[in-house]
Amino acid sequence: MTERSTLKVLLIDDEPFMLKLLGHTLATVGLTAVTVCESGREALEYLDLSSYPPDLILLDINMPEMDGLEFVRHLAKRQYSGGVILVSGENERMLQAAEKLVQMYKITSLGHLQKPVTPEALSKLIDKWMPSWMIEPSSSALKIYNANEIKAAISNNELVNYYQPQVEVATGKVVGLETLVRWHHPQDGLVFPEQFIRVAEGYGLINALTRAVVDAAFAQLGIWQNNNPDLMIAINISMDDLASLDFVDYLAAAATAADIAPGDIVLEVKESQLMKNLSASQEILTRLRLKRFGMSIDDFGTGYSSFTLLNNVPFNELKIDQGFVHGAASNDRLLAIYNASLTLAKQLNMKTVAEGVEDWEDWNLLRSTGCDIAQGYFIARPMPAEKFLDWLSSWQANVEAALNL
Ligand code: C2E
Ligand code: CA
Ligand code: CA
C-alpha cells in the first residue's frame, strides 16, 4: 500500500464547513498533505503555480461559479495525471454520470463519494489505486511554466509559430493554415501551448503573446500569398485579447502593414471562453466582423452555447472539437454531437471545420456528411513555416489519387 502521508491531496469545496469536515476525514485515513481551495478558480491558480501537481483531487461537483465538471475540463487541458474523487450530495445516478465524464477526459477516477463522506468509504477508494508516478517512475507530467519564464520567452523572441494545413473536403484543396504557437525553449526544447497559454492568460501576458503570434503569422502569410493568393490564415485569440479596446485597430493596422485582406484572416475564439463573457466582447466581435475578419467559434461542443447566443454573435465559421470528430463514425454518442454541430452550423450559414481528423474513417465521415473543411493528423501535423511549401507540393501532386477524389 502507498505510504499515504506522502500523497499530495487537493481538496475543493465551496463550503468552508465541508472543507473542515473532509479535511478531518482525510487525516483520519492518513492523508495529511492536504491543500484546500474554496473554488475551482482558486484551485486552478494553485495548480498553475505549484511545481508538482497533487496526486489526488477531491472535488465537490456542485459549486457556484465554476462547477466541478467545468473544473475537470480545465484539469484535462492541463494534462493532469493524478487521480480524482468526486464528492457530492447528489444522488447516485448523477454522480455516476459525472464520473463517466471524468473518464471521458481520460482522467483517472477513483470513484465517487456521497456526502457525508465516511473514512471507510474513502479508504476503500484509495486502497484500490496507485498514483501514476508509482507505476511509472518517469511519468511525463508536462511541466507548466511560470509567468516570469513566459514573459522572458516573449521578449526574447523564443515563441515560434507552427502551421497546420486545412483542406477543403470536397476537393482536397489546401485553403488555409491554423497558426499554433510553440516555444523553442533554450534548455527544454520544444514546449507546447498547453504548458504556457493558461498562465499567460492568467497573468496578463496574453496580449503580448497574441501580438507576437499575429505579427509573425501575418508576415508569413504575406510571403505565401505571393504564390498562393487564396491562402488564409487562422489565429487563436483569447477572450482577454478582446477585452483590450485597441485590439481591432491593432489587427486592422497589422493586416494593412502585411498587405493582407482581413477576409483572409480567421480569428478563432473558444466556445468555452466566449460564453463566460459574451456581453463584454460582443461589441468587439461585431466590429471585427464589420472589418471583414473571419470569426470562428473554436472547440465547438465543449462549451455551453445556445441557439440564441450563437445567432447573436457574428461568427461565420464553426470548428467542431476534435473530441467529437475522431472516432465519431464508430461511436453513436460522438456521432450525435458531431451531426448536431454540423446541422446547427449549416442552419446558421456558418462554414464548418472539423478538427482532429486522424484517419480514413474520420475523413470518410466528413465526406459523407458534407463538412466543408478538414484539419488533423490525417492531412498533416502542425509544421514550422519553412516546411510548408514542400509539404504543399507533395500534397498537390498526390491528393487526388491518395484520397480517391
Ligand atoms: P486548438 O486551437 O484546439 O488547436 C488544435 C490542437 O490540436 C493543436 O494542439 C494541434 O496540434 C492539435 N491537433 C491537430 N490535429 C490533430 C489531430 O488530428 N489529432 C489530435 N489529437 N490533435 C490534433 P496544440 O498546437 O498543442 O495547441 C493546443 C491549444 O493551444 C490550441 O488548441 C489552442 O487553444 C492553444 N493555442 C495554440 N496556439 C495559440 C496562440 O497563439 N494563442 C492562444 N491564445 N492559444 C493558442
Ligand atoms: Ca484553434
Ligand atoms: Ca480544438
Side-chain angles (χ1 to χ4, degrees):
M1 201 182 85
T2 318
E3 185 55 64
R4 286 184 178 171
S5 61
T6 63
L7 293 177
K8 237 178 109 176
V9 181
L10 175 61
L11 181 55
I12 311 165
D13 198 308
D14 60 300
E15 291 171 70
F17 163 73
M18 270 298 159
L19 285 176
K20 258 218 179 93
L21 203 67
L22 274 168
H24 183 73
T25 312
L26 286 167
T28 313
V29 305
L31 292 167
T32 45
V34 179
T35 304
V36 298
C37 290
E38 281 185 34
S39 71
R41 182 146 315 283
E42 190 188 326
L44 289 178
E45 273 164 24
Y46 165 76
L47 288 173
D48 288 340
L49 290 172
S50 63
S51 18
Y52 298 101
D55 299 301
L56 177 61
I57 298 180
L58 260 78
L59 176 64
D60 178 20
I61 56 176
N62 317 82
M63 294 188 290
E65 199 203 342
M66 183 189 299
D67 64 39
L69 298 181
E70 189 185 347
F71 178 79
V72 166
R73 189 153 47 75
H74 289 296
L75 273 184
K77 287 252 141 138
R78 286 165 171 75
Q79 312 199 325
Y80 171 67
S81 60
V84 168
I85 294 178
L86 298 179
V87 184
S88 169
E90 295 284 346
N91 63 31
E92 182 66 20
R93 245 192 92 205
M94 183 63 214
L95 272 162
Q96 277 176 9
E99 198 186 331
K100 281 244 162 59
L101 209 82
V102 174
Q103 291 160 349
M104 253 174 67
Y105 281 117
K106 305 218 163 53
I107 289 179
T108 309
S109 167
L110 275 63
H112 53 264
L113 293 170
Q114 237 164 328
K115 288 180 185 175
V117 174
T118 64
E120 293 73 33
L122 180 60
S123 257
K124 227 167 119 187
L125 292 185
I126 294 166
D127 276 344
K128 288 193 304 193
W129 160 81
M130 276 267 171
S132 57
W133 53 265
M134 297 208 113
I135 304 161
E136 240 183 303
S138 61
S139 103
S140 60
L142 276 181
K143 176 174 171 192
I144 304 289
Y145 291 83
N146 70 36
N148 283 333
E149 294 168 308
I150 298 165
K151 199 170 174 180
I154 299 170
S155 50
N156 296 337
N157 293 319
E158 288 168 9
L159 299 185
V160 182
N161 288 347
Y162 274 47
Y163 298 92
Q164 186 176 35
Q166 300 181 321
V167 306
E168 200 168 68
V169 177
T171 61
K173 183 182 177 211
V174 177
V175 288
L177 303 107
E178 178 177 359
T179 309
L180 294 159
V181 70
R182 304 280 181 264
W183 174 4
H184 281 184
H185 191 287
Q187 278 85 43
D188 300 350
L190 197 62
V191 175
F192 288 84
E194 255 93 3
Q195 296 170 265
F196 57 92
I197 291 288
R198 284 283 159 174
V199 178
E201 285 172 345
Y203 288 82
L205 299 170
I206 198 71
N207 286 316
L209 186 147
T210 301
R211 288 175 191 218
V213 170
V214 163
D215 291 345
F218 284 14
Q220 187 57 60
L221 183 66
I223 296 171
W224 283 332
Q225 281 195 342
N226 288 331
N227 294 313
N228 301 277
D230 296 340
L231 272 187
M232 301 180 43
I233 200 118
I235 298 189
N236 292 287
I237 60 171
S238 148
M239 219 46 197
D240 302 317
D241 291 317
L242 298 179
S244 123
L245 284 174
D246 62 345
F247 189 64
V248 179
D249 298 331
Y250 154 74
L251 269 184
T256 308
D259 200 18
I260 304 172
D264 291 343
I265 297 158
V266 179
L267 304 169
E268 300 190 359
V269 187
K270 294 208 175 288
E271 184 193 26
S272 51
Q273 286 198 359
L274 192 71
M275 293 308 144
K276 264 186 226 144
N277 205 347
L278 189 62
S279 52
S281 46
Q282 184 136 7
E283 183 198 332
I284 292 218
L285 291 170
T286 309
R287 286 181 56 212
L288 284 166
R289 220 25 223 136
L290 279 172
K291 293 213 184 276
R292 301 284 180 269
F293 286 101
M295 298 297 307
S296 178
I297 181 157
D298 201 359
D299 284 5
F300 190 79
T302 64
Y304 315 95
S305 41
S306 67
F307 269 96
T308 331
L309 280 173
L310 274 183
N311 204 25
N312 291 343
V313 229
F315 284 89
N316 62 322
E317 181 183 287
L318 182 148
K319 279 189 100 164
I320 307 174
D321 187 65
Q322 56 192 46
F324 307 112
V325 174
H326 175 55
S330 51
N331 178 320
D332 289 344
R333 300 181 69 89
L334 297 184
L335 188 60
I337 299 173
Y338 167 87
N339 279 326
S341 309
L342 201 68
T343 308
L344 176 61
K346 286 187 188 291
Q347 280 173 358
L348 294 173
N349 267 322
M350 295 158 90
K351 192 158 56 160
T352 48
V353 182
E355 53 179 29
V357 180
E358 292 193 7
D359 53 32
W360 268 109
E361 215 185 42
D362 299 341
W363 172 262
N364 286 333
L365 171 69
L366 268 56
R367 280 193 54 94
S368 64
T369 51
C371 180
D372 299 316
I373 292 174
Q375 180 183 344
Y377 299 163
F378 181 68
I379 295 135
R381 294 200 172 237
M383 59 186 93
E386 57 274 18
K387 296 255 191 286
F388 174 62
L389 289 178
D390 281 346
W391 175 85
L392 183 64
S393 21
S394 80
W395 175 265
Q396 286 167 338
N398 298 311
V399 63
E400 287 190 18
L403 296 179
N404 295 323
L405 292 170

